[in-house]
PDB file of all heavy atoms in Angstrom:
ATOM      1  N   ALA B 325       6.036  -0.377 -73.014  1.00  0.00           N
ATOM      2  CA  ALA B 325       6.636   0.302 -74.154  1.00  0.00           C
ATOM      3  C   ALA B 325       5.869   1.581 -74.482  1.00  0.00           C
ATOM      4  O   ALA B 325       6.438   2.562 -74.933  1.00  0.00           O
ATOM      5  CB  ALA B 325       6.658  -0.634 -75.349  1.00  0.00           C
ATOM      6  N   GLN B 326       4.586   1.557 -74.251  1.00  0.00           N
ATOM      7  CA  GLN B 326       3.797   2.743 -74.558  1.00  0.00           C
ATOM      8  C   GLN B 326       3.776   3.749 -73.424  1.00  0.00           C
ATOM      9  O   GLN B 326       3.078   4.753 -73.489  1.00  0.00           O
ATOM     10  CB  GLN B 326       2.351   2.339 -74.844  1.00  0.00           C
ATOM     11  CG  GLN B 326       2.204   1.661 -76.167  1.00  0.00           C
ATOM     12  CD  GLN B 326       0.840   1.054 -76.279  1.00  0.00           C
ATOM     13  OE1 GLN B 326      -0.137   1.699 -75.935  1.00  0.00           O
ATOM     14  NE2 GLN B 326       0.778  -0.151 -76.745  1.00  0.00           N
ATOM     15  N   GLY B 327       4.515   3.442 -72.359  1.00  0.00           N
ATOM     16  CA  GLY B 327       4.646   4.412 -71.278  1.00  0.00           C
ATOM     17  C   GLY B 327       3.443   4.517 -70.381  1.00  0.00           C
ATOM     18  O   GLY B 327       3.191   5.559 -69.787  1.00  0.00           O
ATOM     19  N   ILE B 328       2.696   3.471 -70.242  1.00  0.00           N
ATOM     20  CA  ILE B 328       1.551   3.516 -69.333  1.00  0.00           C
ATOM     21  C   ILE B 328       2.053   3.492 -67.895  1.00  0.00           C
ATOM     22  O   ILE B 328       3.125   2.971 -67.615  1.00  0.00           O
ATOM     23  CB  ILE B 328       0.605   2.339 -69.629  1.00  0.00           C
ATOM     24  CG1 ILE B 328      -0.766   2.598 -69.026  1.00  0.00           C
ATOM     25  CG2 ILE B 328       1.156   1.028 -69.108  1.00  0.00           C
ATOM     26  CD1 ILE B 328      -1.820   1.707 -69.605  1.00  0.00           C
ATOM     27  N   GLY B 329       1.317   4.116 -66.980  1.00  0.00           N
ATOM     28  CA  GLY B 329       1.787   4.277 -65.598  1.00  0.00           C
ATOM     29  C   GLY B 329       1.838   2.978 -64.823  1.00  0.00           C
ATOM     30  O   GLY B 329       1.145   2.023 -65.143  1.00  0.00           O
ATOM     31  N   ALA B 330       2.666   2.986 -63.782  1.00  0.00           N
ATOM     32  CA  ALA B 330       2.864   1.758 -63.001  1.00  0.00           C
ATOM     33  C   ALA B 330       1.588   1.324 -62.304  1.00  0.00           C
ATOM     34  O   ALA B 330       1.321   0.143 -62.163  1.00  0.00           O
ATOM     35  CB  ALA B 330       3.959   1.977 -61.964  1.00  0.00           C
ATOM     36  N   GLU B 331       0.773   2.293 -61.881  1.00  0.00           N
ATOM     37  CA  GLU B 331      -0.418   1.937 -61.133  1.00  0.00           C
ATOM     38  C   GLU B 331      -1.377   1.124 -62.000  1.00  0.00           C
ATOM     39  O   GLU B 331      -1.789   0.026 -61.641  1.00  0.00           O
ATOM     40  CB  GLU B 331      -1.113   3.196 -60.622  1.00  0.00           C
ATOM     41  CG  GLU B 331      -2.258   2.868 -59.698  1.00  0.00           C
ATOM     42  CD  GLU B 331      -2.815   4.103 -58.999  1.00  0.00           C
ATOM     43  OE1 GLU B 331      -2.547   5.223 -59.482  1.00  0.00           O
ATOM     44  OE2 GLU B 331      -3.509   3.926 -57.996  1.00  0.00           O
ATOM     45  N   GLN B 332      -1.694   1.663 -63.188  1.00  0.00           N
ATOM     46  CA  GLN B 332      -2.609   0.949 -64.080  1.00  0.00           C
ATOM     47  C   GLN B 332      -2.009  -0.384 -64.487  1.00  0.00           C
ATOM     48  O   GLN B 332      -2.693  -1.397 -64.549  1.00  0.00           O
ATOM     49  CB  GLN B 332      -2.887   1.759 -65.352  1.00  0.00           C
ATOM     50  CG  GLN B 332      -3.705   2.991 -65.135  1.00  0.00           C
ATOM     51  CD  GLN B 332      -2.836   4.181 -64.833  1.00  0.00           C
ATOM     52  OE1 GLN B 332      -1.717   4.024 -64.330  1.00  0.00           O
ATOM     53  NE2 GLN B 332      -3.309   5.369 -65.126  1.00  0.00           N
ATOM     54  N   LEU B 333      -0.702  -0.340 -64.773  1.00  0.00           N
ATOM     55  CA  LEU B 333      -0.050  -1.536 -65.262  1.00  0.00           C
ATOM     56  C   LEU B 333      -0.129  -2.674 -64.254  1.00  0.00           C
ATOM     57  O   LEU B 333      -0.529  -3.788 -64.592  1.00  0.00           O
ATOM     58  CB  LEU B 333       1.409  -1.196 -65.548  1.00  0.00           C
ATOM     59  CG  LEU B 333       2.170  -2.222 -66.327  1.00  0.00           C
ATOM     60  CD1 LEU B 333       1.487  -2.498 -67.647  1.00  0.00           C
ATOM     61  CD2 LEU B 333       3.580  -1.730 -66.578  1.00  0.00           C
ATOM     62  N   THR B 334       0.235  -2.386 -63.001  1.00  0.00           N
ATOM     63  CA  THR B 334       0.172  -3.462 -62.006  1.00  0.00           C
ATOM     64  C   THR B 334      -1.279  -3.900 -61.820  1.00  0.00           C
ATOM     65  O   THR B 334      -1.542  -5.058 -61.543  1.00  0.00           O
ATOM     66  CB  THR B 334       0.795  -3.050 -60.665  1.00  0.00           C
ATOM     67  OG1 THR B 334       0.433  -1.713 -60.399  1.00  0.00           O
ATOM     68  CG2 THR B 334       2.283  -3.166 -60.697  1.00  0.00           C
TER      69      THR B 334
END
Side-chain angles (χ1 to χ4, degrees):
Chain B
Q326 287 169 45
I328 198 163
E331 187 170 18
Q332 291 90 334
L333 192 57
T334 40

